Amino acid sequence: MTKRYDAIIIGAGHNGLVCAFYLARAGYKVRILERRNIVGGAAVTEEFHPGFRNSVASYTVSLLHPKVIRDMRLVEHGYRVIERPISNFFPQPDGRYLKLGGGVERTQAEFAKFSAKDAAALPAYYAALEVVADVLRDMALQAPPNAGDGLSMIVSALKQGRRLGALSLEQQRDVLELFTRSARGFLDGWFESEAVKAAFGFDAVVGNYASPDAPGSAYVLLHHVFGEVNGKKGAWGHSVGGMGAITQIMARVVRTMRVEISLEAPVAKILVDGQRAVGVRLESGEEVIGGAVIGNVGPKLLYERLMGSSDLPADFLKRIRGFKAASGTFRMNVALSALPDFPCLPGVGEHHQSGITIAPTLGYMDRAFMDAKRDGWSREPIVEMLIPSTVDESLAPQGCHVASLFCQQFAPELPEGRSWDDEREAAADHVIATVEALAPGFARSVIARDILSPLDLERKFGLVGGDIMHGNMTLDQLWAARPVLGHGAYRGPLKGLYMCGAGTHPGGGVTGAPGHNAARVVLKDRALPGRWLGRS
């Protein structure tokens, strides 16, 4: 006999687990279907070489929403994050370096090495960003106003617009600039030193296959600063046990609430009856029926691969096919026999516990993108290296370390018919050589490496185009237009079909916000019939 559920969630990534928690708390019978043999989606800890474990995809913590942490009581179940002493360390090719973070005064002292004017401008810059970040924090746990929802849309738009309307004219101008300008254009208005601008501009290209000169890239910069660690706004940290520790805790919490999690249960197709999603068919042939079908996968995967084109409205399908998904990300996990040593700052220090970032100027970042567009990957790639074993000895054998290499500007598809299967090793060699140039001896210390090209990210984690954000974070794909205008409030184009992944508001990163918000929308639809709110 076919088992029926109140809700079926496709994908056991963190947002799916968060969504399941809120639905189960409301009394829903929930089943999560996961393709892989482990929960967590891209937030997993895996052994990639004997004795060496790492956060193999998502690799750092800041954006997980405090409300989700509180509601799921994650701390009581072992959730622990160690804050980075400084956020980033930028070695420079001229032998200098810049540290970002550790307090305003410390950062000002670093900036003063490059520009006294920039050091003086820093407090005002932080204050301007914090105002806008606070607005985003408020909006993160609210469903966007959904075009076509009649009275509900109007009420929601008025409520969410009230906070923006309360800002001063100067602050509203900052909001406008951050949402529309390029990272370079925005930062040029604040700072003069190329090293200083790069320190902030790096966030604008994280998971963003674009130049820092691209209009709208300033928003991606902002998206990475509205998180917090242990109550400290804007901080970043290492999850003890890796990112998988977070999702394993979440899974334990929801299992105690009788949520069923089925591993190695890949979904083949969403079942549709008329204009309603009624369940899913697994690749095994099993059919699972549910009152709500919730996709914790990217929009491209959900609508182009798990649904028949005849089941979707023609215009919606056209828009989804035009939805941009490419983050330009190339990930490596490396086992190290020793910590990297930087001649610009020799010896072991706090910089080894930070994000070690190779991206010395905005021009460097722009060239990396232009190279990738033309050749497939960059001659001078952008690399951020984190070494979590400096604070978590459980990840590597004594005296050894693990490092995450997050690399940017690698095309999702190589030109001229070339394949990532043929070029992944050469690209990995190039990344190692890029680090070696600033930390001589690094290449010799590499014991083993785990390579994830954009194609590997798609195959392993279902990230179409290797996009860690489930879709570009551009102005046309944000807020009420994520993924498609008229379906920006977590509801799909069919009744009973919902989305709870990073392809919805507020976007990528380990936030839990899409899962939280989608659950609220599902519960609201059950309590208040859609017709009353102007929905068909």
Side-chain angles (χ1 to χ4, degrees), residues 144-158 486 491 524 530-536:
N146 203 48
D149 274 4
L151 177 60
S152 174
M153 178 195 70
I154 296 170
V155 172
S156 179
L158 288 172
R491 300 182 184 95
K524 180 180 179 182
R531 190 173 300 153
W532 185 85
L533 296 173
R535 292 184 59 79
S536 59

Side-chain angles (χ1 to χ4, degrees), residues 390-415:
T390 56
V391 297
D392 184 355
E393 295 179 354
S394 71
L395 300 176
Q398 188 174 6
C400 296
H401 290 277
V402 294
S404 298
L405 300 183
F406 178 87
C407 316
Q408 275 296 134
Q409 310 319 4
F410 292 76
E413 294 182 0
L414 297 175

Side-chain angles (χ1 to χ4, degrees), residues 452-484:
L452 293 167
S453 72
L455 181 58
D456 295 321
L457 289 168
E458 179 169 331
R459 287 172 175 163
K460 184 168 184 174
F461 299 108
L463 302 172
V464 175
D467 195 330
I468 63 172
M469 302 289 191
H470 286 196
N472 293 14
M473 301 285 288
T474 50
L475 190 59
D476 61 323
Q477 295 186 177
L478 290 177
W479 199 43
R482 189 169 184 85
V484 172

